[in-house]
């Protein structure tokens, strides 16, 4: 069948002889439609840029820069892995040092761990690379004093464990650095590694929770600000 001018006609799939409507040419978007589409694209791009801006959304743990940096001074050292931060501009905030787990109160070396962190951080100006807020409303992040990593210092002194359960809070290079620091402390038998089989604090907490009538050790950072 020869095409007619302007449209094609054909028998439909039912074979009943009905004719299809002539195909209409697609309209090209006018200037107004193009402007509306461009405006929508600009709004989407602006929203994405806000989501990526530091401090407006939390970065994926361990995959890049911290969610935000929090400068301040340490008002109190609560134990070997948590402090009370006097935030720049006013106010106090509990901070849990990311990537480490120090002995709980009542465990061997708990006092030694706290004293070491006290000597390093108390009343010092620090910078916290916050990666998240935990269920106790504490900031979790790496703590630096004069560019010295407090968590790494505790591991090197043999006064904390590398807390691999929360390795996602650390960048891959930092995880390797922390693992190496714990391994070297073990080999040198310093701090808590003087004991043949020190009990990890997470096991101590689990045992305390399993004891009838016991509520388990309270998190230092949360307890201090209640």
């Amino acid at each position: 069948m020869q095409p007619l001018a302007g449209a094609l006609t054909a028998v439909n799939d039912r074979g009943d002889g009905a004719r299809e409507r002539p195909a209409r040419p697609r309209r090209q978007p006018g200037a107004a439609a193009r402007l509306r589409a461009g405006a929508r694209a600009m709004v989407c791009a602006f929203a994405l840029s806000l989501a990526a801006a530091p401090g407006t959304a939390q970065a994926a743990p361990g995959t890049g820069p911290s969610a935000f940096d929090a400068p301040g001074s340490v008002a109190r050292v609560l134990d070997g892995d948590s402090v009370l931060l006097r935030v720049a501009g006013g106010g106090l905030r509990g901070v849990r040092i990311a990537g480490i787990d120090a002995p709980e109160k009542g465990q061997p070396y708990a006092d030694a761990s706290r004293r070491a962190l006290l000597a390093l951080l108390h009343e010092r100006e620090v910078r916290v690379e916050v990666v998240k807020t935990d269920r106790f409303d504490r900031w979790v992040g790496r703590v630096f004093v004069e560019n010295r990593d407090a968590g790494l210092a505790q591991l090197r002194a043999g006064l904390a464990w590398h807390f691999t359960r929360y390795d996602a809070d650390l960048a891959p290079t930092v995880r390797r650095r922390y693992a190496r620091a714990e391994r070297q402390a073990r080999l040198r038998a310093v701090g808590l590694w003087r004991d043949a089989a020190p009990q990890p604090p997470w096991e101590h907490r689990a045992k305390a929770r399993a004891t009838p009538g016991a509520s388990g050790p309270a998190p230092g950072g949360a307890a201090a600000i209640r």
Side-chain angles (χ1 to χ4, degrees), residues 52-116:
T56 60
Q58 295 218 354
T63 60
S66 60
F68 60 91
D69 280 4
S73 61
V74 173
R76 184 180 172 190
V77 173
L78 303 166
D79 53 33
D81 57 30
S82 58
V83 302
L84 198 60
L85 182 70
R86 186 179 295 112
V87 182
L92 296 172
R93 189 72 183 241
V95 174
R96 177 69 160 79
I97 299 177
I100 70 170
D101 201 3
E104 295 286 353
K105 185 177 180 180
Q107 283 193 277
Y109 299 97
D111 289 340
S113 181
R114 179 184 176 277
R115 287 196 302 269

Side-chain angles (χ1 to χ4, degrees), residues 93-217:
R93 189 72 183 241
V95 174
R96 177 69 160 79
I97 299 177
I100 70 170
D101 201 3
E104 295 286 353
K105 185 177 180 180
Q107 283 193 277
Y109 299 97
D111 289 340
S113 181
R114 179 184 176 277
R115 287 196 302 269
L117 197 62
L118 184 73
L120 181 64
L121 298 181
H122 186 57
E123 295 295 344
R124 301 286 299 278
E125 296 294 323
V126 300
R127 175 175 57 86
V128 182
E129 288 187 354
V130 181
V131 295
K132 67 183 183 184
T133 300
D134 70 8
R135 63 193 180 98
F136 302 109
D137 200 35
R138 298 175 298 183
W139 283 340
V140 178
R142 297 171 67 201
V143 178
F144 294 87
V145 54
E146 295 180 352
N147 292 322
R148 186 179 182 189
D149 184 336
L152 186 61
Q154 289 288 81
L155 290 169
R156 286 174 171 167
L159 295 174
W161 276 257
H162 172 206
F163 206 1
T164 57
R165 178 180 174 184
Y166 292 101
D167 257 356
D169 294 337
L170 305 173
T173 54
V174 179
R175 295 174 206 164
R176 292 192 290 271
R177 197 177 305 148
Y178 279 24
R180 183 167 60 250
E182 182 188 295
R183 186 167 58 251
Q184 291 173 346
R186 284 174 180 260
L187 291 172
R188 292 185 290 115
V190 296
L192 59 89
W193 303 114
R194 294 190 183 99
D195 291 357
Q199 184 185 41
W202 54 87
E203 291 183 5
H204 176 82
R205 291 191 293 268
K207 184 178 179 180
R209 286 192 296 269
T211 303
S215 58

